[in-house]
């Protein structure tokens, strides 16, 4: 059958549409569609040289940033994790044509989690860590921290590896009774300044709170403050004041400032308006941090306990017993007359209470 005029017109229209379809550009992606990848940077090591604008580390080395591709990340924490994953995936000792050194090439680190606290990234790692020597240790720390702080919104990074620092030159001490260990920078500081009688066992691994590396013990919270000169680079939390606030005691009469007193056996502390008397006074002056002062100086006692923030008063304790106690900025002293000296004055297990409360 001969094609009709209608058939020829239809055939021509199909031919024209086919030609147009072949030359038209592909349809654009929907507005707002996620990109397939993102760019990020990781830190490698320029041995003995590098970018002179950066601080030296290791054995006279400097860090240099290298561009990598990561999967899109919805949060800052996810972007940090994705970027570090790319860093840890580099297994060459010397990277590409740049020849930059990778101190992590023998390690197989695992990112357990990343927490962002303000502008501080807390990076918790496990897996295996192996380096070539002591020069590699600061290189590894620098590579991880500098990679993290390249992420927008991050000002500094703290790394917790298997419950402690990446490297512990001072050694560590494990306590099977609680399943935790004390490592640098808190060991041997814990041992030198009182150990088990004053602080109790470690109840947590190291963690990051308010941007600082901390660890909880039965009676105290240790805080690392690397921005301070020694001996104030390790401080104790104001856990006595914190617990008094939690227990709604700060508005009670024993916590109100008192008028100066000349009572025998007491001394008045004008800074907080409270008196130190008898056994509490002796205990305060008899214990302190070791700053190499003769005997126990007031500044050593103050660093350990802080000032008194209450008078001595009777209190029903967490175990139901009633004791005479006195609160200090960093502790609560308790009279235990059933014990022989020097154990008739004990410190509250505030660290344990704080950990249990979460």
């Amino acid at each position: 059958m001969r094609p009709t005029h209608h058939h020829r017109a239809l055939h021509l229209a199909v031919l024209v549409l086919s030609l147009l379809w072949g030359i038209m550009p592909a349809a654009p992606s929907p507005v707002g569609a996620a990109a397939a990848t993102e760019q990020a940077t990781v830190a490698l090591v320029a041995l003995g040289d590098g970018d002179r604008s950066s601080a030296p580390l290791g054995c006279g080395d400097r860090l240099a940033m290298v561009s990598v591709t990561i999967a899109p990340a919805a949060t800052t924490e996810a972007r940090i994790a994705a970027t570090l994953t790319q860093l840890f995936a580099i297994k060459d000792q010397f990277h590409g044509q740049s020849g930059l050194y990778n101190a992590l090439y023998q390690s197989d680190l695992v990112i357990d989690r990343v927490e962002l606290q303000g502008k501080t990234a807390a990076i918790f790692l496990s897996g295996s860590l192996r380096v070539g020597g002591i020069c590699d240790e600061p290189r590894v720390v620098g590579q991880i921290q500098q990679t993290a702080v390249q992420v927008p919104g991050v000002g500094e990074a703290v790394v917790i590896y298997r419950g402690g620092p990446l490297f512990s030159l001072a050694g560590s001490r494990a306590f099977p009774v609680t399943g935790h260990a004390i490592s640098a920078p808190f060991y041997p500081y814990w041992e030198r300044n009182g150990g088990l009688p004053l602080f109790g066992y470690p109840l947590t691994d190291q963690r990051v709170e308010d941007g600082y590396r901390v660890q909880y013990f039965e009676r105290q919270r240790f805080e690392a403050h690397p921005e301070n000169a020694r001996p104030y680079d390790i401080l104790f939390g104001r856990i006595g004041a914190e617990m008094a606030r939690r227990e709604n005691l700060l508005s009670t009469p024993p916590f109100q400032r008192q008028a100066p007193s000349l009572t025998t056996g007491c001394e008045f502390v004008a800074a907080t308006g409270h008196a130190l008397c008898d056994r509490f006074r002796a205990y305060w002056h008899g214990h302190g941090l070791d700053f190499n002062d003769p005997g126990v100086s007031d500044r050593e006692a103050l660093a350990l306990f802080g000032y008194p923030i209450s008078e001595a008063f009777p209190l029903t304790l967490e175990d139901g017993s009633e004791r005479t106690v006195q609160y200090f900025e960093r502790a609560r002293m308790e009279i235990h007359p059933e014990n022989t000296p020097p154990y008739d004055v004990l410190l509250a297990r505030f660290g344990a209470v704080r950990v249990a409360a979460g």
Side-chain angles (χ1 to χ4, degrees):
M1 182 175 65
R2 295 179 63 185
T4 65
H5 176 75
H6 174 72
H7 288 148
R8 287 196 299 269
L10 180 61
H11 177 73
L12 181 61
V14 171
L15 180 62
V16 170
L17 287 173
S18 299
L19 291 171
L20 287 174
W21 184 265
I23 63 173
M24 286 178 63
S29 301
V31 175
T37 59
E38 297 179 0
Q39 290 299 115
T41 54
V42 300
L44 297 175
V45 181
L47 296 174
D49 192 355
D51 180 4
R52 291 296 177 181
S53 65
S54 63
L57 81 164
C59 296
D61 315 310
R62 296 175 191 270
L63 294 173
M65 306 310 298
V66 174
S67 180
V68 295
T69 299
I70 63 170
T75 65
T76 301
E77 293 90 337
R79 186 176 178 86
I80 296 169
T83 307
L84 286 174
T85 297
Q86 289 298 96
L87 173 64
F88 298 160
I90 299 173
K91 296 304 179 185
D92 297 329
Q93 183 177 8
F94 295 96
H95 183 65
Q97 294 182 349
S98 69
L100 293 171
Y101 177 66
N102 175 27
L104 287 157
Y105 77 99
Q106 300 180 90
S107 300
D108 190 14
L109 293 172
V110 176
I111 302 166
D112 295 329
R113 68 184 189 278
V114 176
E115 299 174 1
L116 190 63
Q117 300 178 12
K119 291 190 174 183
T120 300
I123 303 163
F124 293 83
L125 303 176
S126 58
S128 64
L129 178 60
R130 182 183 177 190
V131 296
I134 60 172
C135 289
D136 269 4
E137 294 179 1
R139 294 166 182 164
V140 164
V141 174
Q143 283 188 251
I144 295 174
Q145 291 181 332
Q146 192 64 24
T147 296
V149 301
Q150 297 304 305
V151 175
V154 179
E156 62 178 335
V158 179
V159 181
I160 309 292
Y161 173 63
R162 291 185 171 181
L166 278 166
F167 302 100
S168 184
L169 297 180
S172 64
R173 181 174 174 185
F175 293 87
V177 67
T178 62
H180 298 285
I182 313 174
S183 303
F186 304 132
Y187 185 82
Y189 193 90
W190 172 93
E191 192 168 76
R192 188 175 67 245
N193 286 287
L196 199 59
L198 275 184
F199 307 122
Y201 291 111
L203 298 181
T204 68
D205 290 335
Q206 293 182 18
R207 58 175 71 173
V208 180
E209 291 184 0
D210 298 324
Y212 292 101
R213 182 186 298 270
V214 307
Q215 186 168 15
Y216 281 85
F217 297 79
E218 289 181 277
R219 296 180 175 88
Q220 189 51 269
R221 179 182 68 230
F222 282 41
E223 302 175 354
H225 288 261
E227 74 280 8
N228 294 344
R230 291 184 180 183
Y232 300 105
D233 54 332
I234 304 294
L235 299 177
F236 296 146
R238 298 184 73 254
I239 201 164
E242 291 175 16
M243 294 304 296
R245 182 177 63 252
R246 281 173 171 253
E247 296 160 354
N248 297 314
L249 293 173
L250 294 179
S251 61
T252 62
F255 287 80
Q256 308 313 302
R257 292 184 68 96
Q258 307 293 311
S261 171
L262 298 177
T263 305
T264 301
C266 297
E267 64 182 90
F268 185 75
V269 180
T272 56
H274 294 289
L276 265 174
C277 299
D278 303 325
R279 279 185 281 185
F280 291 142
R281 179 189 183 190
Y283 195 88
W284 193 91
H285 282 291
H287 298 82
L289 300 185
D290 183 7
F291 293 168
N292 295 318
D293 295 347
V296 178
S297 67
D298 284 356
R299 72 165 186 152
E300 290 173 329
L302 189 64
L304 178 58
F305 301 119
Y307 289 117
I309 59 172
S310 80
E311 298 295 295
F313 67 101
L315 179 70
T316 301
L317 304 186
E318 293 80 9
D319 63 1
S321 63
E322 186 169 290
R323 308 286 182 184
T324 299
V325 306
Q326 185 166 16
Y327 278 74
F328 295 78
E329 291 176 285
R330 299 184 174 93
R332 181 182 73 199
M333 295 183 191
E334 305 168 354
I335 299 294
H336 287 256
E338 72 278 9
N339 297 341
T340 56
Y343 304 107
D344 55 334
V345 178
L346 298 178
L347 300 180
R349 296 179 72 251
F350 274 161
V353 174
R354 180 71 173 79
V355 170

